[in-house]
Amino acid sequence: MTEHDFLTDFRAMSVYGRTAGGGVDRQAGTVADHETRAWFAGWLESNGFDVRYDAIANQFGLVELVPGAPYVLVGSHLDSQPLAGRFDGAYGVLAGAHAAREVARRVREGELEATCNLAVVNWFNEEGSRFAPSMMGSSVLTGKLALDAALAVTDRAGVTVADAIASGGMPTGATPPPVAAYAEIHVEQGRGLERSGTTIGLVDGTWAASKYRMVVRGEQSHTGSTVMADRKDALFGAALLIVAARELTEELPEGMLHSSVSELDLAPNSPVTVARLVELNLDLRSPDEEVLRRANALLEQRIAEIEQRARVVVERRLTHEWGLLSYQPEGVELARRAAEALGLTHAPAMTVAGHDSTNMKDVVPTVMLFVPSVDGVSHNEAELTRDEDCVAGVALLTEVLAGLAAGELGSETAFTPAG
């Protein structure tokens, strides 16, 4: 592998779903997503990988090195948010493919003794922008989400996941390989590495999070003639909720709480009608479980105040919740040694965002790595990771994958994927 190889391939892949602003838009199961997958399948096949798709359309490129042995999985996702950057997910998929190709070469030429096979993976619908929930492919593979339930999910136009997958014409239904370990590299999506002048983030844990689906119920009425005191405006209540979520981050210790509100659905969404219903997502994230507990308690207080002030009813349903979750220390140490050997600056890091590795670490030893994001920009067409950082990440991932393939984290038992 050379710098030119990876960067040339990455630029070629970034053509698919390209936007006028220099990013990509290839939401799961769309034409752009299918085209990117087809390009990647061609790359895999031309480099000696056996391409397969499981029932939820996770795309695998397999290399058998030790007949009958389990596989070390490496990858990320090619799907994107709307008007997104080129690097989120896609960098990790292609980096994993280049790393796996190089490790396979070492094994075949006698430079490395492997105890495991290799498989590159492009997870289906990691982003969750078109179909909820996010991290769908890895959730199905790890048994956290039933396949039938995932396939039945619809987008806003009523298209099911099953139909979106079928529209790509890929031969799904292959059995995923048994997995001994997993590795993923990703752009940081924050400013920590860039600010500190560090090339590699060694991810050792995740922030805690609480995610809600909120429904604000009011009463439909006329925007002009209804007396203000009589209004039960669901949109006003939602606006107060949005402000309250942001203000929580100012009430609690600085930098210790991230909050957001997204995906608003409004009914009846008429220009002359006071809203009767607003649905939205609200999430709270913190690197401190006590801070998150306080944020949830404060949110409950704010909801009661909003209901009284706006004369609405606010319903909330907890959709996802987790505490601080750790990655296997031995995986972090493996990556640290590899970074040291390559002379790459490195530091421990936590992930605020969800990644497929957060599912995989619950079932197999998992290594998660970050490379810097310029200005911390992500889910935006301006997203950028510098060429030298991209290449350094590929080099490190290659050494980590070599260690995993050689059984450095143990491969005596393997996880058998669901479905």
Side-chain angles (χ1 to χ4, degrees), residues 273-339:
T273 306
V274 171
R276 69 173 182 272
L277 179 80
V278 177
E279 293 188 57
L280 53 87
N281 291 320
L282 186 153
D283 76 62
L284 306 172
R285 309 187 193 207
S286 177
D288 185 307
E289 291 181 351
E290 176 57 23
V291 169
L292 184 62
R293 187 198 65 76
R294 289 171 58 196
N296 277 294
L298 288 170
L299 177 63
E300 189 170 348
Q301 293 178 21
R302 299 296 182 273
I303 288 173
E305 294 165 2
I306 290 166
E307 287 180 317
Q308 184 173 13
R309 180 179 176 186
R311 303 175 68 234
V312 297
V313 174
V314 179
E315 302 169 359
R316 61 171 174 160
R317 176 173 61 88
L318 187 66
T319 58
H320 297 86
E321 184 176 41
W322 60 84
L324 298 180
L325 301 173
S326 297
Y327 286 76
Q328 288 83 1
E330 59 271 28
V332 178
E333 176 60 18
L334 169 64
R336 187 198 65 77
R337 292 196 307 268

Side-chain angles (χ1 to χ4, degrees), residues 8 11 19 31 49 55 78 97 104 112 123 139 144 163 176 250 274 290 314 378 399 409:
T8 297
R11 292 182 185 113
T19 64
V31 171
F49 294 82
L78 293 177
L112 176 72
W123 299 106
S139 293
K144 296 182 178 183
D163 288 342
E250 300 165 0
V274 171
E290 176 57 23
V314 179
S378 186
E399 300 311 314
L409 296 192

Side-chain angles (χ1 to χ4, degrees), residues 228-416:
M228 296 303 295
D230 292 342
R231 298 188 186 201
K232 300 177 181 178
D233 188 343
L235 185 56
F236 176 49
L240 293 174
L241 187 58
I242 293 167
V243 172
R246 179 59 176 259
E247 289 180 342
L248 287 178
T249 68
E250 300 165 0
E251 295 179 43
L252 293 164
E254 184 177 358
M256 295 298 289
L257 180 71
H258 289 187
S259 73
S260 65
V261 172
S262 61
E263 196 180 24
L264 274 72
D265 290 301
L266 173 66
N269 205 21
S270 166
V272 291
T273 306
V274 171
R276 69 173 182 272
L277 179 80
V278 177
E279 293 188 57
L280 53 87
N281 291 320
L282 186 153
D283 76 62
L284 306 172
R285 309 187 193 207
S286 177
D288 185 307
E289 291 181 351
E290 176 57 23
V291 169
L292 184 62
R293 187 198 65 76
R294 289 171 58 196
N296 277 294
L298 288 170
L299 177 63
E300 189 170 348
Q301 293 178 21
R302 299 296 182 273
I303 288 173
E305 294 165 2
I306 290 166
E307 287 180 317
Q308 184 173 13
R309 180 179 176 186
R311 303 175 68 234
V312 297
V313 174
V314 179
E315 302 169 359
R316 61 171 174 160
R317 176 173 61 88
L318 187 66
T319 58
H320 297 86
E321 184 176 41
W322 60 84
L324 298 180
L325 301 173
S326 297
Y327 286 76
Q328 288 83 1
E330 59 271 28
V332 178
E333 176 60 18
L334 169 64
R336 187 198 65 77
R337 292 196 307 268
E340 288 281 350
L342 292 173
L344 298 175
T345 56
H346 55 85
M350 294 185 74
T351 179
V352 185
H355 301 288
D356 293 300
S357 69
T358 62
N359 280 332
M360 293 302 294
K361 69 175 174 46
D362 294 339
V363 295
V364 293
T366 294
V367 179
M368 182 74 190
L369 306 169
F370 282 161
V371 290
S373 297
V374 174
D375 294 328
V377 174
S378 186
H379 286 185
N380 183 299
E381 291 170 294
E383 180 182 82
L384 177 66
T385 292
R386 301 188 190 283
D387 287 354
E388 57 269 29
D389 291 328
C390 286
V391 172
V394 174
L396 177 60
L397 183 62
T398 300
E399 300 311 314
V400 168
L401 190 60
L404 294 175
E408 289 193 26
L409 296 192
S411 58
E412 294 79 12
T413 59
F415 170 73
T416 301

